[in-house]
Amino acid sequence: MKNVVVVGSQWGDEGKGKIVDWLSSEADVVVRFQGGHNAGHTLVIEGTTYKLRLLPSGIVRKNKISIIGNGVVIDPWALLDEIHEIKGKGVNVDENNLIISEAANLILPFHKEMDEIREDSAGKAKIGTTRRGIGPAYEDKIGRRSIRVMDLISENNLDDRLETVLIHHNAIRKGLGKKIFEKDQLKKDLLKIAPKILKFSQPVWKKLDELKSKRKKILFEGAQGILLDVDHGTYPFVTSSNTVASSAATGTGCGVNTINYVLGITKAYTTRVGEGPFPTELKDTIGETLGSRGKEFGTVTSRKRRCGWFDGVLVRQTIKISGINGIALTKLDVLDELDEIKMCVGYELKGKKIDYLPAAVEDQLKVKPIYKNFKGWKTSTKGTKNFKDLPKNAQDYIRALEGFIETKVASISTSPERKDTILIENPFSV
């Protein structure tokens, strides 16, 4: 029995949805452990496209348990809308296949408003958030004033908790010249939807312990990517949670000894949404080609993604930080038409060569990539299912990538379809 954690090894948008769906066919349980509805996973199954934001990718499969852990921040209205939307596509969602941690923190309307207020007033210092209230909700969690799922049980308790959190937010809103947020209508709105949320609520740590004792296979699904980790990413241009694999333990209460294999989803080139450093970014026709062929637009926000060459230095760094055992290489087919392909194998900073991305943002913005060049393969790899059937130049690129990042390639994705995957190593059976 193996339990697997799936994380993005870059800035997110690496194609985790397809890989998680592929792995969930073997898993018994799929768990989200951090992030919010700013994370979008697109699944294409038998011609039907599912765009998930909060729901774990396993929800689209029968006889699987999907769990939202305590590390996730939940917009309750967005969650109910997503459940309604996916039910409309014939997917069953009930208390038997969806569990929400009673300790998960809620995203409320004033969080979204605060997110927008800050971004609009930040000017050049804006982070490029999705404006969905994720950051402010995590701030309230750390500040010990947040509303949690369990607080919806008692009207008196909910009233007290709202009073506490609004003292904080309204003080800030007054200082920014904004209208204070009234409590009463929000309390009514929350109490109205409370039964619809609470019916899914359980102590997730206890449920996972029960599932572990039954030797169920558990798949832990991360959101965003390691380079957006609040501690290890390109701070301050990061998300508000820990996106590394070890967060699967704290975000669910399962214990680090539950994790047996960490799979890093890795795009064959690099993309980034929002502001922040991007050493290999291409602001030319090649960058536009990668974006158009790769359909690089956000699942949640439809924002255009910035595109660049594969950054081996960054991926090797995130592999070491997150304890990645193998990578799932995605979107290889996007490179099919290029005459030449480049891979970043080092940086130059202030006239010196370095082999890692420094922590200071001013240095991150100044580093210049050092590239190794590869010949393109100029033929379609789309739908290829065996490594030996790939063009030789594609094989050479993958082997060089594998050698540089010092981690094996466990699988290769050659199209958005789940069946178009070259499986080299199955994380559940290693």
Side-chain angles (χ1 to χ4, degrees), residues 8 10-11 34 223-247 321-322:
Q10 294 155 308
W11 277 292
Q34 50 77 221
Q224 290 90 33
I226 297 166
L227 290 169
L228 291 175
D229 185 280
V230 70
D231 286 302
H232 301 289
T234 48
Y235 189 91
F237 302 98
V238 292
T239 193
S240 300
S241 60
N242 287 111
T243 60
V244 292
S246 54
S247 186
I321 288 169
S322 205

Side-chain angles (χ1 to χ4, degrees), residues 65-320:
I65 297 174
S66 291
I67 296 177
I68 298 175
N70 55 275
V72 178
V73 285
I74 299 171
D75 180 324
W77 294 278
L79 176 59
L80 292 174
D81 285 346
E82 189 174 341
I83 290 172
H84 177 74
E85 179 184 325
I86 203 164
K87 279 185 171 181
K89 293 191 175 185
V91 177
N92 179 59
V93 182
D94 59 28
E95 301 93 312
N96 296 313
N97 68 344
L98 177 63
I99 297 169
I100 301 173
S101 171
E102 61 182 4
N105 292 259
L106 299 182
I107 300 172
L108 299 176
F110 51 79
H111 291 131
K112 184 175 182 293
E113 289 182 17
M114 184 58 65
D115 213 352
E116 293 171 343
I117 290 167
R118 287 177 176 169
E119 279 290 278
D120 289 339
S121 62
K124 292 181 179 180
K126 68 178 181 178
I127 301 298
T129 77
T130 54
R131 297 170 176 257
R132 292 177 179 248
I134 311 297
Y138 272 117
E139 287 179 41
D140 281 347
K141 174 181 178 178
I142 299 303
R144 294 165 293 187
R145 55 183 172 265
S146 186
I147 310 297
R148 298 193 289 175
V149 170
M150 65 182 74
D151 293 322
L152 299 177
I153 297 172
S154 163
E155 181 177 350
N156 288 336
N157 181 62
L158 178 61
D159 190 81
D160 290 342
R161 299 301 300 156
L162 284 171
E163 191 74 35
T164 298
V165 72
L166 286 176
I167 287 173
H168 172 82
H169 277 270
N170 281 334
I172 297 174
R173 293 169 74 99
K174 284 180 183 178
L176 293 171
K178 303 296 180 180
K179 185 180 178 182
I180 66 167
F181 199 96
E182 299 292 344
K183 177 187 69 174
D184 291 345
Q185 186 59 50
L186 175 57
K187 186 177 78 168
K188 289 178 182 177
D189 293 341
L190 284 170
L191 290 172
K192 182 178 179 180
I193 65 166
K196 298 177 183 179
I197 298 294
L198 289 171
K199 69 178 184 178
F200 298 110
S201 174
Q202 286 190 38
V204 159
W205 67 269
K206 193 172 186 297
K207 184 64 177 181
L208 284 173
D209 187 61
E210 173 191 321
L211 293 165
K212 281 161 54 180
S213 69
K214 295 179 179 178
R215 302 192 62 79
K216 299 294 185 181
K217 292 180 181 179
I218 304 171
L219 180 63
F220 296 91
E221 176 184 13
Q224 290 90 33
I226 297 166
L227 290 169
L228 291 175
D229 185 280
V230 70
D231 286 302
H232 301 289
T234 48
Y235 189 91
F237 302 98
V238 292
T239 193
S240 300
S241 60
N242 287 111
T243 60
V244 292
S246 54
S247 186
T250 54
T252 62
C254 69
V256 293
N257 61 349
T258 301
I259 301 169
N260 305 114
Y261 190 102
V262 180
L263 182 67
I265 315 303
T266 307
K267 199 176 285 185
Y269 50 101
T270 310
T271 62
R272 167 160 212 174
V273 172
E275 309 299 320
F278 187 168
T280 65
E281 184 174 10
L282 295 170
K283 298 180 180 180
D284 56 13
T285 55
I286 295 176
E288 289 294 323
T289 297
L290 293 174
S292 60
R293 282 184 55 80
K295 296 181 174 60
E296 296 297 351
F297 296 91
T299 300
V300 172
T301 62
S302 296
R303 288 187 297 175
K304 186 178 180 180
R305 296 172 187 147
R306 301 153 64 191
C307 297
W309 295 120
F310 180 81
D311 194 329
V313 178
L314 280 181
V315 172
R316 184 173 62 186
Q317 186 167 322
T318 60
I319 283 169
K320 295 180 186 298

Side-chain angles (χ1 to χ4, degrees), residues 50-61:
Y50 303 94
K51 293 189 177 183
L52 305 177
R53 295 169 291 279
L54 271 167
L55 292 171
S57 298
I59 199 72
V60 300
R61 294 193 165 275

